Amino acid sequence: MRPKRPAGPAGSRHSASSSPQGRGGAGRTYSAKARRAGRASTADGGTRSRFVIGRIALAVILAATGIKLVHVQGFQAEALSARAEQQRTSTIDIPAQRGDILDRNGAQLAFSVETRTLWANLRLMRKEWAEFAKKNPDSDENYDSHVAEIAKYIAKKVPGKTTEEDLLEELRDRKSSFTYLVDDVQPSVADEIQSEYPEIGYEKRAKREYPAGNVGSNIVGYANWRMEDPDQSKHNIEGLAGLESARNDVLTGKPGRQVADTAQGTDVVIPGTERDLQPATAGSDLQLTIDSDVQYNVQRMLKDYVEKSHADGGSAVVLDAKTGEIYGLASDKTLDPGNLDPDLLTDKAVTEPFEPGSVNKVITAAGAIEAGITKPDDVHRVPGSMKVADHTVHDAWEHGTQPFTTTGIFAKSSNVGTLMLAQELGPDRYLDMLKKFGLGQRTGAGLPGESPGYIPPRNQWSGTTFGNLPIGQGLSMTVLQMASMYQAIANDGVRVEPRVVSATRTPDGRRVAEPKPDETRVVSTHTARQVRDMLRATVQDGDTYEAGTAPQAAIEGYQVAGKTGTGQQINPETGAYSDDLYNITFAGILPADDPRFVVGIRLDAPDTTLPEGSSAAPLFKEMASYLAQRYEIPLSEKKSPVVPLIRRQ
């Protein structure tokens, strides 16, 4: 109840105190109702203001949200989609198929097969089983029982590659968060394992196979899966030795990439969801000049002969007389791809030089004939020894001064007669012939680790140097270089750079021939044929005046030209030439009248008291006879003529 307004003085309507004038100024008075109405009006206006502000704020928020939505959909959609995709997919590197290595007839010497390596994410597996245990405290299943089941299943699927015990040890290793379980698993088997146990993943890998075993293994070499590079896309088969290493860039292709869906929150790939992002590009194949049958037989024959001669080792090479192509290149010990021996990762036929002995006399023979110093039938008065500087050189047998023919000097391997002709040729022309025959330089065959051999620099020659070089001492060469010298004689004076790779075959099937090998005109055709004819006398038999040094190398029905060698080795204890350690060598041409093959052989320190240890001629005969049969080489039209080597008195 509103209170009554108080009354003023008698007869007066307003008191002074209530008058506006009484407060110092004219004014208007308002009733209580009017004042209440004014207060209500002010409150209503404030409410409307706040409502307007709220609407404006809401409009701003909606506008900002709309702008953000447009930005996300228009500008970030691709990035966000990719991020979301990454959360449910996994990128997989696809190894490139490595090229094959084939022999000259297309037989596979090396190829690759696709394999799988099983792995397990132990951290994730333990986490999932810990969560399972919380939700199922009464369950008999747990991590240990589950991995025992996995181990048993995998071991049964890959017999011989692992054991149940080894798998359990890996799966129960509490210190590891990730582990590889088994290598070299067949793709179909890996798929079965993952289908049964999705938590077991696998990586795609490849394995190198060598179907010929150790046949040509020192040439082909070895390759296996390598993972040293931190970039996983570069994990692939890498060559470690031989052509696998030397031609790794040709054999290796370009890896590809796949994407596959994965189970939510895991790395487990959902089978069948793989799709290519970038297909892998296979490497190119290598086709060799090697005939795997020839290689097999040369290896076998050499190994057997080394054992019979009690040699420390041996090497042999078979060259095409016209093209220089290598048909076989062997050492007595070969690389076993299944059991690597570091000492056998190189091929001694090209990496181990030696002092060849008398096979080097072909240099003097060719030089003297080419220079017009002598002819095959010329007679030379050859003593049993001669002095060169402060050194006396002897022939291998004692004799007085005898009338050797030029042919006889080389067929009977007279050191003294050879030095007499070399001195007429002179050191400078002789050195030029050494270089033309390819000594002191790599052959360019394309095999890794090849040695250039050694020729002493001309400015370092002493008085005795020229008493050693013409008889095959004081310089060194490999078996391949030795055979290459005789290839020049077999090929009418033109030395063709030997080679072991004939072509590459690209992934699309194109055959790309290797660049044409270098050729060097060493001597004239006439000289080469005369030297070749002279060397036929090496294998002729007869009495003292007619017998060469290697009648054991003769092959019925074929003309054969060749040269024996006995080079002293250095005694490692004294540093001087040994009296019982020798390099026994032979280089031969089949047939001499129409050359098809050149065979070079070296025996390392055989027992020279044994028939097999004193000469490599019988081994040449065995190898050359096989070649004649395999390639159906026509018989020579006529026998080699028997010529006098020492004129009868």
Side-chain angles (χ1 to χ4, degrees):
M1 180 177 183
R2 295 190 185 106
K4 292 182 179 178
R5 187 178 296 277
S12 174
R13 294 202 43 176
H14 300 287
S15 66
S17 62
S18 63
S19 169
Q21 288 86 351
R23 294 198 295 270
R28 169 178 274 179
T29 61
Y30 297 89
S31 67
K33 181 178 181 180
R35 289 196 298 272
R36 286 196 299 271
R39 287 195 299 271
S41 177
T42 301
D44 190 47
T47 300
R48 285 197 300 269
S49 297
R50 287 194 297 272
F51 179 72
V52 170
I53 291 170
R55 290 180 67 184
I56 292 171
L58 180 59
V60 170
I61 292 171
L62 290 174
T65 303
I67 292 170
K68 181 65 175 177
L69 183 60
V70 170
H71 179 70
V72 168
Q73 291 182 336
F75 299 98
Q76 291 186 312
E78 186 175 347
L80 292 173
S81 176
R83 188 178 303 171
E85 184 72 10
Q86 287 176 355
Q87 293 176 354
R88 62 184 180 84
T89 63
S90 178
T91 301
I92 305 168
D93 293 305
I94 309 171
Q97 179 77 11
R98 189 174 179 85
D100 297 346
I101 299 179
L102 315 168
D103 83 344
R104 67 184 302 112
N105 302 311
Q108 286 182 315
L109 300 176
F111 65 91
S112 299
V113 293
E114 190 175 334
T115 66
R116 301 286 186 266
T117 293
L118 303 182
W119 57 259
N121 187 330
L122 302 180
R123 179 190 59 80
L124 182 60
M125 289 172 64
R126 285 193 288 263
K127 178 182 177 183
E128 290 177 345
W129 277 98
E131 292 173 354
F132 176 86
K134 288 181 181 179
K135 295 177 181 178
N136 304 275
D138 298 328
S139 175
D140 292 334
E141 288 188 272
N142 55 42
Y143 179 82
D144 285 340
S145 64
H146 186 65
V147 296
E149 183 181 315
I150 291 175
K152 183 176 182 180
Y153 183 83
I154 293 177
K156 185 177 180 181
K157 283 290 185 181
V158 290
K161 295 186 180 296
T162 187
T163 65
E164 187 175 340
E165 292 75 18
D166 288 342
L167 288 167
L168 275 174
E169 184 178 351
E170 294 290 339
L171 292 167
R172 289 177 174 171
D173 185 355
R174 297 291 175 179
K175 296 180 181 179
S176 297
S177 61
F178 177 92
T179 186
Y180 288 108
L181 298 173
V182 194
D183 291 327
D184 299 335
V185 178
Q186 291 182 11
S188 60
V189 174
D191 288 339
E192 290 178 17
I193 292 171
Q194 190 179 69
S195 177
E196 186 71 20
Y197 296 99
E199 60 265 56
I200 302 300
Y202 60 70
E203 287 182 7
K204 291 184 178 181
R205 295 188 182 178
K207 181 182 179 182
R208 204 64 167 160
E209 296 284 356
Y210 299 94
N214 67 354
V215 175
S217 59
N218 296 66
I219 300 169
V220 173
Y222 180 73
N224 69 2
W225 187 268
R226 312 301 295 175
M227 300 174 62
E228 289 85 355
D229 199 299
D231 183 353
Q232 188 175 350
S233 67
K234 295 181 180 178
H235 294 177
N236 208 333
I237 294 176
E238 295 289 333
L240 302 179
L243 291 173
E244 291 273 34
S245 174
R247 294 299 187 98
N248 190 66
D249 57 338
V250 175
L251 292 163
T252 302
K254 185 177 180 181
R257 308 199 94 184
Q258 276 186 337
V259 66
D261 294 340
T262 55
Q264 187 173 5
T266 74
D267 295 326
V268 179
V269 172
I270 299 174
T273 64
E274 300 91 345
R275 55 245 187 226
D276 286 350
L277 292 176
Q278 176 185 327
T281 302
S284 295
D285 297 339
L286 283 185
Q287 184 162 29
L288 308 187
T289 61
I290 298 296
D291 181 327
S292 54
D293 287 340
V294 171
Q295 181 70 28
Y296 167 78
N297 281 282
V298 168
Q299 284 183 202
R300 176 183 58 80
M301 295 172 186
L302 176 66
K303 185 176 183 296
D304 290 347
Y305 203 84
V306 165
E307 291 176 356
K308 290 177 183 177
S309 66
H310 297 179
D312 290 343
S315 301
V317 61
V318 177
L319 294 182
D320 186 293
K322 304 297 183 185
T323 68
E325 291 180 340
I326 301 172
Y327 275 61
L329 184 72
S331 296
D332 64 299
K333 295 183 180 67
T334 53
L335 179 67
D336 180 358
N339 184 22
L340 295 180
D341 182 343
D343 293 335
L344 299 177
L345 291 178
T346 58
D347 195 330
K348 292 184 177 181
V350 297
T351 63
E352 189 171 277
F354 58 92
E355 297 194 18
S358 294
V359 289
N360 195 54
K361 290 174 181 176
V362 72
I363 304 288
T364 300
I369 296 292
E370 182 79 352
I373 292 170
T374 189
K375 295 183 178 65
D377 294 335
D378 287 352
V379 176
H380 308 268
R381 303 291 297 178
V382 179
S385 64
M386 68 180 292
K387 197 169 183 65
V388 179
D390 60 349
H391 181 62
T392 301
V393 178
H394 299 268
D395 274 344
W397 71 102
E398 291 187 6
H399 65 83
T401 299
Q402 291 184 319
F404 280 74
T405 64
T406 304
T407 298
I409 286 174
F410 298 105
K412 295 189 79 67
S413 202
S414 168
N415 292 334
V416 176
T418 300
L419 289 176
M420 290 170 60
L421 291 173
Q423 287 180 343
E424 289 191 62
L425 183 63
D428 292 331
R429 286 193 292 185
Y430 181 80
L431 178 60
D432 182 58
M433 290 301 297
L434 285 175
K435 293 179 178 179
K436 285 184 176 180
F437 271 102
L439 301 184
Q441 55 194 296
R442 294 177 179 85
T443 66
L447 292 164
E450 183 179 5
S451 171
Y454 175 74
I455 299 174
R458 179 69 178 87
N459 59 9
Q460 295 180 15
W461 288 19
S462 66
T464 57
T465 300
F466 201 48
N468 283 333
L469 298 181
I471 60 176
Q473 300 282 175
L475 80 170
S476 65
M477 64 184 69
T478 65
V479 167
L480 183 57
Q481 287 175 313
M482 183 181 78
S484 183
M485 289 195 305
Y486 282 79
Q487 182 272 326
I489 297 300
N491 192 36
D492 289 343
V494 177
R495 181 172 60 85
V496 182
E497 191 176 73
R499 55 177 173 162
V500 73
V501 178
S502 63
T504 58
R505 189 173 63 197
T506 61
D508 60 4
R510 290 184 301 110
R511 186 181 188 277
V512 181
E514 288 287 286
K516 187 177 180 182
D518 291 340
E519 297 183 357
T520 302
R521 169 60 71 177
V522 180
V523 292
S524 68
T525 298
H526 179 70
T527 295
R529 290 179 178 178
Q530 283 196 311
V531 171
R532 201 162 67 225
D533 287 346
M534 286 197 302
L535 294 181
R536 293 180 303 185
T538 300
V539 304
Q540 74 181 30
D541 205 356
D543 59 18
T544 301
Y545 299 96
E546 294 178 349
T549 57
Q552 311 98 310
I555 300 174
E556 185 68 29
Y558 293 97
Q559 292 190 17
V560 172
K563 185 72 191 77
T564 56
T566 304
Q568 285 179 288
Q569 294 188 7
I570 300 294
N571 186 322
E573 296 180 359
T574 65
Y577 281 115
S578 171
D579 291 329
D580 55 8
L581 297 175
Y582 296 93
N583 294 306
I584 301 298
T585 55
F586 191 89
I589 300 169
L590 175 79
D593 52 330
D594 186 15
R596 177 70 190 278
F597 290 110
V598 173
V599 179
I601 300 168
R602 176 225 178 179
L603 301 176
D604 178 10
D607 183 349
T608 53
T609 64
L610 299 173
E612 295 86 358
S614 61
S615 176
L619 180 55
F620 166 83
K621 178 178 181 177
E622 185 180 9
M623 290 182 179
S625 297
Y626 163 77
L627 292 169
Q629 181 181 20
R630 171 162 177 74
Y631 288 98
E632 299 180 347
I633 298 174
L635 297 173
S636 297
E637 293 184 1
K638 55 184 178 181
K639 293 182 179 180
S640 297
V642 176
V643 297
L645 307 181
I646 302 175
R647 294 291 182 183
R648 297 179 187 273
Q649 301 290 346

